């Protein structure tokens, strides 16, 4: 049905907003089905870069599943980096990094941290608070690799400061001396 509507759009004038809505729904459908290749082909078929940008951004704002969010964030930064405001660029890159970190977690645990996918530092802090040290190690390594040469609102030093803060808390042993009674 989407492809038929797309053909119709080539034959008859369709208002820009309707065209964007059609392509957005088609893209989200393909992404939900896990068909990234067809989703990429759809985006490449769209001739107007303004429409393609609008479709990609609106789709990302619909908060699709993890793989779809990762795909859209990667596509937007790869194809429309210069067209995005600095704040939007940072937001999308943070979502890309957060989704990349989520993909390193065990599949059954991802749902517990999905709501933090656009805030990788907060996700890292949550993992630390939940004592998921092995997961934190992989997440930190992933973030270190992704942050090289990136400017997204937080740095490697911010990650190190967060780790230092929790390491200090882990070594803090509050206790009171008790008197020995005979």
């Amino acid at each position: 049905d989407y492809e038929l509507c797309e053909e119709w759009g080539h034959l008859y004038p369709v208002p820009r907003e309707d065209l964007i809505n059609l392509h957005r729904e088609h893209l989200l459908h393909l992404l939900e089905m896990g068909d990234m290749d067809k989703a990429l082909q759809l985006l490449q078929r769209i001739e107007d870069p303004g429409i393609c940008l609008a479709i990609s951004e609106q789709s990302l704002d619909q908060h699709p599943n993890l793989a779809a969010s990762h795909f859209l964030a990667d596509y937007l930064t790869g194809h429309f980096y210069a067209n995005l405001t600095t704040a939007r660029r940072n937001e999308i890159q943070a979502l890309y990094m957060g989704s990349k970190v989520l993909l390193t977690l065990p599949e059954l645990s991802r749902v517990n941290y999905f709501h933090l996918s656009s805030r990788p530092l907060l996700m890292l802090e949550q993992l630390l608070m939940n004592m998921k040290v092995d997961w934190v190690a992989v997440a930190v390594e992933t973030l270190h690799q992704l942050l090289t040469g990136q400017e997204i609102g937080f740095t490697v030093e911010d990650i190190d400061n967060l780790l230092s803060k929790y390491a200090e808390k882990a070594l803090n042993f509050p206790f009171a001396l008790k008197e020995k009674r005979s």
Side-chain angles (χ1 to χ4, degrees):
D1 291 345
Y2 290 119
E3 289 166 7
L4 178 63
C5 289
E6 188 177 336
E7 286 179 36
W8 184 271
H10 291 295
L11 298 173
Y12 298 97
V14 176
R16 178 182 162 90
E17 279 306 309
D18 291 341
L19 199 57
I20 289 172
N21 289 339
L22 165 71
H23 287 306
R24 184 190 66 234
E25 292 304 317
H26 188 191
L27 179 63
L28 286 170
H29 171 73
L30 291 171
L31 292 173
E32 291 297 323
M33 299 299 290
D35 200 343
M36 304 304 173
D37 292 333
K38 281 191 177 178
L40 185 58
Q41 290 169 7
L42 170 66
L43 290 169
Q44 290 170 342
R45 277 196 310 268
I46 300 168
E47 295 170 6
D48 184 344
I51 289 178
C52 192
L53 173 62
I55 292 164
S56 303
E57 276 196 287
Q58 287 179 19
S59 297
L60 186 62
D61 291 339
Q62 296 281 323
H63 304 290
N65 66 32
L66 175 61
S69 295
H70 187 70
F71 171 86
L72 288 166
D74 187 34
Y75 184 81
L76 280 164
T77 53
H79 291 84
F80 297 106
Y81 190 82
N83 302 69
L84 302 168
T85 64
T86 305
R88 182 69 170 159
R89 198 178 305 145
N90 289 349
E91 177 186 326
I92 291 171
Q93 285 181 315
L95 180 66
Y96 175 79
M97 289 185 187
S99 61
K100 190 78 166 177
V101 168
L102 272 175
L103 290 169
T104 66
L105 300 180
E107 193 170 339
L108 295 175
S109 302
R110 292 176 189 163
V111 71
N112 298 330
Y113 300 96
F114 182 73
H115 65 286
L116 299 172
S117 59
S118 61
R119 303 185 61 201
L121 271 181
L122 194 56
M123 185 187 316
L124 191 60
E125 187 168 5
Q126 188 69 50
L127 289 169
L128 283 167
M129 288 191 300
N130 291 342
M131 304 294 287
K132 304 294 185 185
V133 180
D134 295 339
W135 299 356
V136 169
V138 175
V140 168
E141 186 176 322
T142 302
L143 286 172
H144 276 265
Q145 290 171 357
L146 293 171
L147 278 171
T148 6
Q150 296 287 331
E151 182 71 32
I152 68 156
F154 69 93
T155 62
V156 171
E157 287 77 31
D158 294 326
I159 294 172
D160 292 343
N161 290 338
L162 182 68
L163 293 172
S164 296
K165 174 182 157 187
Y166 278 88
E168 183 180 317
K169 287 183 179 190
L171 296 174
N172 188 9
F173 297 108
F175 65 94
L177 293 174
K178 294 183 181 179
E179 293 180 23
K180 288 188 175 182
R181 294 186 181 170
S182 56

